Amino acid sequence: MEEFDLVIVGTGSAMNIVEPLIGANPSIRIAVVEKDEPGGICLTRGCIPSKIMVYPAELLRLLYNAREIGLEVTSGGVNYEHVMMRMRELIDRDINAIRQGLRSSRNISFYEGTAKFIAPYTLSVGEKTIKGRKIVLATGSRPLIPPIKGLREAGYHTSDSVIRMALTKRPESLVIIGGGYIAAEFGHFFSATGTKVVIVGRNKRFLPEEEPEVSHVVTNEMSKHLQIVTGCEVTAVDTTAGGRRKVTGFTKEGKELEFEAQEVLVASGRAPENDVLDAAKGGIELTDKGWIATNEFLETSQPNVWALGDANGKFLFKHKANYESYVVYYNAFQNQRIAADYHAVPHAVFTHPEVASVGIGEEQAVRENGRERVLIGFQRFEDTAKGEAMGVHGYFAKVIVRAQDYRILGAHIVGPHASILIQELVTLMYTQENSVLPVTYGMHIHPALSEVVERACSNLMDVEEYHHVLSHHYGIKTGAD
């Protein structure tokens, strides 16, 4: 059995702490264990490869209204095979570089296999046994596969399998089971390549985690290129005599719906990977849903063992995992007691149109603060000079603030570059005042899309007025309609 100063399970964001540890202690001994390709989920089968895939789709969609702004262009579509090969070349290059770095480091012993606890602080990896004085668990997650009758027998794909090139040829048609961000992004991509796509979600709204008016805009725009079915629970998947997949579901009212396609993609969310850990043997408690239980300092139930990233089930985003890696570094190795702060975890959905959000939504803001203590700022893209120049329609920014002190509670943007535009508000939410006022005081370049955020922050109104403006002036559905 080999003993180490630190054992890390997983090669994603937990690797952020390795370089500073080696810099501070050149003789430190670290064991790194990985059962999949090194680099973590984001690199190997998540956000990075999927964004390489959807970028060509975004460019194609930008040409959809090209004639409106004076462009005479003809697009031959998105070459699926070329995009996928490019994605794999870029990802494999980075994976191989990380693997080489892990194998060549004098301070790191790289174990390629599945880590399982056999006792506290002691794990087996294949036939080898390792022990760590401190352990960081960054085990990631895997696609959630719902218990649908006949699904396994009929065969299906996930975001993981698509990125791993299980579909070498573009499918002629595709049913996507799920109505969240994975379904949205992969539906966007496949429809741009020419695949006939149907998205079937169980919730009454597409992208149910977003604000209702954001969901409304995205549904309308994406429905120009694919079919979106909501409020339908998929109950069975069968194989037809011709080798196609038949997907059967029922609406809340009991109406039976059937969809037939060449392939099925399951996009029902993510599930924990911690069952392979034998966590109980390591004294590690799991939540009822199988995530590693941690306190505010990211400590597990076993002293000197921390968990970060998808492993703890809190906000399954790479940027959140990166943030947590620094919390673990300071708590585990700098003798600090920093509590993880999740009040402003941003996220984006890279569809067309793009979506970005941070903080809480209007419903929660009203519930926690009272209707009279909430103000909402709103600005349409097309009512700014840059938005008008771009010829965009129906997109907007929504900012939710607390009336008494202008504290930002949340922000929601749908439209071009939403993931970039929202960062101004995310950064302010990490200041002591957390106030929207610096946006209104600060000078913004004209004409630039940043004026969408500036004007939303300068155009605050009460909740009733906001819903009146959206419904009666712009015809946008909201949660109050």
Side-chain angles (χ1 to χ4, degrees):
M1 179 173 64
E2 285 200 74
E3 297 191 14
F4 296 89
D5 300 301
L6 170 66
V7 172
I8 298 175
V9 181
T11 52
S13 294
M15 299 305 294
N16 292 335
I17 70 177
V18 171
E19 186 174 345
L21 288 176
I22 294 175
N25 180 8
S27 63
I28 192 171
R29 299 186 71 237
I30 302 173
V32 175
V33 185
E34 178 59 76
K35 66 181 179 60
D36 297 306
E37 307 101 324
I41 291 172
C42 179
L43 171 65
T44 61
R45 54 196 185 279
C47 39
I48 296 176
S50 64
K51 300 314 163 287
I52 296 172
M53 292 161 58
V54 301
Y55 181 63
E58 174 64 17
L59 295 180
L60 182 68
R61 293 294 176 241
L62 289 176
L63 297 177
Y64 187 72
N65 294 320
R67 289 179 179 269
E68 183 178 331
I69 60 173
L71 283 179
E72 296 291 342
V73 294
T74 302
S75 172
V78 175
N79 186 319
Y80 175 83
E81 288 79 10
H82 182 91
V83 171
M84 297 301 286
M85 288 302 298
R86 176 176 179 265
M87 178 271 292
R88 281 312 326 174
E89 288 174 1
L90 294 173
I91 297 308
D92 289 343
R93 179 193 64 193
D94 291 344
I95 290 172
N96 291 334
I98 293 171
R99 181 183 289 113
Q100 180 61 30
L102 288 168
R103 288 174 175 174
S104 61
S105 173
R106 294 189 302 174
N107 298 90
I108 297 174
S109 294
F110 182 38
Y111 293 86
E112 299 182 72
T114 301
K116 295 184 178 183
F117 279 103
I118 56 177
Y121 309 104
T122 308
L123 304 103
S124 67
V125 185
E127 297 181 356
K128 298 179 179 179
T129 303
I130 59 176
K131 187 172 185 178
R133 282 188 277 274
K134 295 180 177 181
I135 297 175
V136 174
L137 300 174
T139 48
S141 63
R142 61 178 176 242
L144 174 65
I145 308 302
I148 297 173
K149 180 182 177 182
L151 178 63
R152 295 187 184 277
E153 293 79 6
Y156 62 90
H157 294 280
T158 67
S159 57
D160 283 20
S161 67
V162 170
I163 289 169
R164 285 170 164 162
M165 299 295 284
L167 280 172
T168 57
K169 298 292 184 182
R170 177 187 66 83
E172 164 267 325
S173 54
L174 178 70
V175 171
I176 300 178
I177 300 173
Y181 74 95
I182 299 174
E185 292 186 354
F186 277 76
H188 169 45
F189 168 68
F190 276 103
S191 67
T193 68
T195 297
K196 182 180 178 181
V197 176
V198 180
I199 295 176
V200 183
R202 62 185 296 185
N203 289 285
K204 66 179 182 180
R205 285 195 291 110
F206 184 52
L207 293 178
E209 299 301 317
E210 305 300 334
E211 293 290 85
E213 53 269 45
V214 172
S215 172
H216 171 75
V217 170
V218 176
T219 301
N220 283 350
E221 185 65 29
M222 291 189 66
S223 294
K224 297 175 182 178
H225 309 289
L226 51 80
Q227 182 182 358
I228 298 174
V229 179
T230 57
C232 180
E233 181 84 33
V234 173
T235 57
V237 178
D238 301 294
T239 304
T240 69
R244 295 167 63 83
R245 276 75 177 175
K246 184 179 75 172
V247 177
T248 303
F250 289 86
T251 66
K252 303 292 190 221
E253 298 74 29
K255 180 181 179 181
E256 184 179 19
L257 300 177
E258 290 186 354
F259 312 92
E260 189 174 305
Q262 182 181 347
E263 300 288 353
V264 168
L265 174 69
V266 176
S268 302
R270 305 289 296 184
E273 283 267 46
N274 300 312
D275 51 335
V276 300
L277 265 181
D278 283 343
K281 294 181 180 178
I284 310 297
E285 294 181 3
L286 303 180
T287 68
D288 292 341
K289 294 185 178 181
W291 306 104
I292 297 175
T294 60
N295 61 14
E296 66 268 36
F297 306 109
L298 302 181
E299 298 165 324
T300 70
S301 54
Q302 183 68 263
N304 289 324
V305 181
W306 294 262
L308 62 86
D310 287 10
N312 61 33
K314 303 169 185 175
F315 303 97
L316 308 188
F317 306 122
K318 174 65 173 178
H319 44 275
K320 189 275 308 195
N322 285 339
Y323 165 78
E324 287 184 333
S325 70
Y326 297 113
V327 173
V328 168
Y329 172 75
Y330 285 108
N331 289 343
F333 302 100
Q334 300 298 314
N335 297 317
Q336 298 193 32
R337 299 289 285 172
I338 298 175
D341 179 2
Y342 302 115
H343 84 280
V345 179
H347 71 268
V349 185
F350 293 90
T351 57
H352 184 83
E354 191 171 290
V355 174
S357 300
V358 65
I360 63 177
E362 176 190 334
E363 182 180 354
Q364 183 179 348
V366 169
R367 185 173 65 249
E368 294 179 355
N369 296 274
R371 202 171 185 85
E372 70 284 356
R373 293 186 176 92
V374 173
L375 295 175
I376 299 177
F378 174 79
Q379 179 65 39
R380 296 196 304 174
F381 278 59
E382 63 210 78
D383 294 329
T384 66
K386 182 65 172 181
E388 185 177 38
M390 295 173 67
V392 296
H393 302 285
Y395 306 145
F396 60 86
K398 174 184 182 181
V399 182
I400 305 167
V401 306
R402 197 164 63 186
Q404 61 266 39
D405 55 7
Y406 298 102
R407 181 180 182 88
I408 305 170
L409 301 175
H412 310 271
I413 303 177
V414 55
H417 310 297
S419 60
I420 298 173
L421 294 175
I422 205 164
Q423 189 59 49
E424 182 175 15
L425 298 167
V426 175
T427 301
L428 284 175
M429 291 180 76
Y430 280 94
T431 63
Q432 186 173 357
E433 295 81 9
N434 199 350
S435 172
V436 75
L437 294 179
V439 180
T440 65
Y441 297 155
M443 191 180 298
H444 289 68
I445 293 173
H446 174 82
L449 279 183
S450 57
E451 290 183 306
V452 173
V453 175
E454 177 197 21
R455 294 185 186 182
C457 294
S458 303
N459 185 30
L460 299 175
M461 62 194 87
D462 61 37
V463 175
E464 284 75 12
E465 182 182 359
Y466 169 72
H467 286 283
H468 175 80
V469 168
L470 252 65
S471 178
H472 295 277
H473 290 275
Y474 301 133
I476 300 175
K477 291 183 179 180
T478 70
D481 294 333

